[in-house]
Amino acid sequence: MLAIEQTDPEDPRSLTWAEAPTPRPTTGEVLVKVAATAVNRADLLQAAGHYPPPAGESAILGLECGGVIAEVPADGSAGDWAVGEEVLCLLAGGGYAEYAAVPAGQLMRPPAGLPMTEAVSLVEVACTVWSNLVMTAGLRAGETVLIHGGAGGIGTFAIQLCRALGATVATTAGGPAKVARCRELGADIAIDYREEDFAEVLADHGGADVILDIIGAKYLDRNIRALAPDGRLVIIGMQGGVKGELNIARLLAKRGSVTATGLRYRDRADKARIVAATAAGAWPLVESGAIRPSVHRVMDIREAAAAHDLLDSGEVSGKLVLTIGGA
Amino acid sequence: MLAIEQTDPEDPRSLTWAEAPTPRPTTGEVLVKVAATAVNRADLLQAAGHYPPPAGESAILGLECGGVIAEVPADGSAGDWAVGEEVLCLLAGGGYAEYAAVPAGQLMRPPAGLPMTEAVSLVEVACTVWSNLVMTAGLRAGETVLIHGGAGGIGTFAIQLCRALGATVATTAGGPAKVARCRELGADIAIDYREEDFAEVLADHGGADVILDIIGAKYLDRNIRALAPDGRLVIIGMQGGVKGELNIARLLAKRGSVTATGLRYRDRADKARIVAATAAGAWPLVESGAIRPSVHRVMDIREAAAAHDLLDSGEVSGKLVLTIGGA
């Protein structure tokens, strides 16, 4: 098959579309012919040498894909999935390729009514947002949630999901265009972090019951200031650094929690649990129109390096989708 | 009535047994004639000016007591509690006194078969340990729990409770006598923190699924090193300082959480929920003998200052109980 190969480990942009061995599904896996994948910040980190795939998983980039099942195991270990079915896939790696071997628990039927280029853009963000906000933080209707990076791939999905779940939604974003985008998606409180201190704004609104953070150290203290009593901070990215000072007294006064978590290194049983919950909880909201995919641009897989540059530029609102074979 | 009065706000040991107004129960409260109370580290902090009572609550020391109901509200707002019933009480303050006004939700029937001087020693520790390990951290049978300060009031209870719940119990304590006490109470792994690095010991045992911490900043990084994947660190004390460096990458690699919490400032509904769950979950284990009270010494309430000195010395294993009227 063809797949994206990083020809120079020192050069994160040396991404070429080249021959690679077609993956061989093992027990419980199906082979998917990939029609589209999408770019995640984790792919940029992996290309830069910072985010290795879990042991035993594909070393090819790509954490999500959509396509058609090309092969199922003869022993029935993948359940009742059938050749020819259209699927979305949460991957530990391997989406930037013509074929991917996917554990059955990480397959989802796509929400009805969307082209694959839009549906594929939802996989990682939906699983990330659902697992963190609903399953980990236990977000409830009537609570206030603060979403950092509201105009990004995760943010655009999270704003819409939290609105649909009945939460009051606060967001941060950089600059008037992104702030306007957050408002358009349904944010009740849209903060331009270049102009305002989000911790002060949230304090004026009684604090955030839940915060979804992609910044890490740089925001740690302000996030804790922004929490409401019994508030839950969930950190899923560290774009602002790794080590921060934690004021435990401030956290204790609010009976707050800090959870740092990710999808990629979870075991397959855990991923299957998340994928099933996400499809059951979020896809109906996509089908009803309460959540719309936010695709910044669709590009060809051969443009992977340019797509990485674009995401790195900070000028992307929503997701970058890569099509394979002109899907 | 008589109660402990701190005559000099600058002198935490100026505790005298003196006349004070008898509290007037308000809606939903009963009046309890106190037979015994017990000393918590929080009382030492409050006497030192660091831990004020919540707004509207008694300024008198004492976060737990046991005694007999002396008065119930005529309007039935305290439910079916009756004058003459023996009760244990979780207090926001006011236990170092002859009488305390107690919200009905913070009353418990004592576990059967214990003298009041032993039963009263269980209230704060049981509510603290049950709410943090069971309700907040979700400790499950088969998991490994690390309890810091295993020979202290909270520790001695927590070791026994966690054993009874089917967890593997690791503890820290200072010096051979306290370590031996932890073993005697059922600790599977008893670490002398003066001799060994607990994070290394726990790492050798696969990490702690749950950690109950009373140290705070000084242990923050080691606690996170000691966590198992999906581990939960619950901080309920800051004897080792308030501000610590949090390595978010290390926490994220384990999908770990840090919660800092306390009982005293929770609202009454929350306390009622905790008190009911604790009595239902923990008292049967006390009645079966699986958990035995750990009383270091019983003293008279007039010796409150000496009891505070004793707790401060670090030479106490278990709880210090203070009797009122020679109970």
Side-chain angles (χ1 to χ4, degrees), chain B residues 84-177:
Chain B
E85 276 191 278
E86 203 167 58
V87 286
L88 297 176
C89 317
L90 180 71
L91 303 173
Y96 286 23
E98 286 186 310
Y99 289 91
V102 187
Q106 289 159 234
L107 299 171
M108 292 176 273
R109 295 196 167 78
L114 294 183
M116 184 53 85
T117 49
E118 295 193 359
V120 73
S121 76
L122 297 170
V123 178
E124 259 284 335
V125 298
C127 290
T128 296
V129 171
W130 191 270
S131 64
N132 285 296
L133 291 183
V134 178
M135 298 170 81
T136 296
L139 180 69
R140 293 181 291 270
E143 290 194 317
T144 295
V145 60
L146 170 61
I147 296 157
H148 289 301
I154 287 170
T156 50
F157 186 91
I159 292 170
Q160 299 177 84
L161 176 70
C162 293
R163 283 270 297 188
L165 294 177
T168 297
V169 179
T171 60
T172 60

Side-chain angles (χ1 to χ4, degrees), chain B residues 252-277:
Chain B
L252 198 147
K254 296 182 173 185
R255 296 184 300 272
S257 69
V258 180
T259 304
T261 184
L263 273 181
R264 193 179 197 184
Y265 299 103
R266 290 181 184 270
D267 65 27
R268 291 181 171 193
D270 221 8
K271 284 180 182 165
R273 201 171 52 89
I274 288 169
V275 162

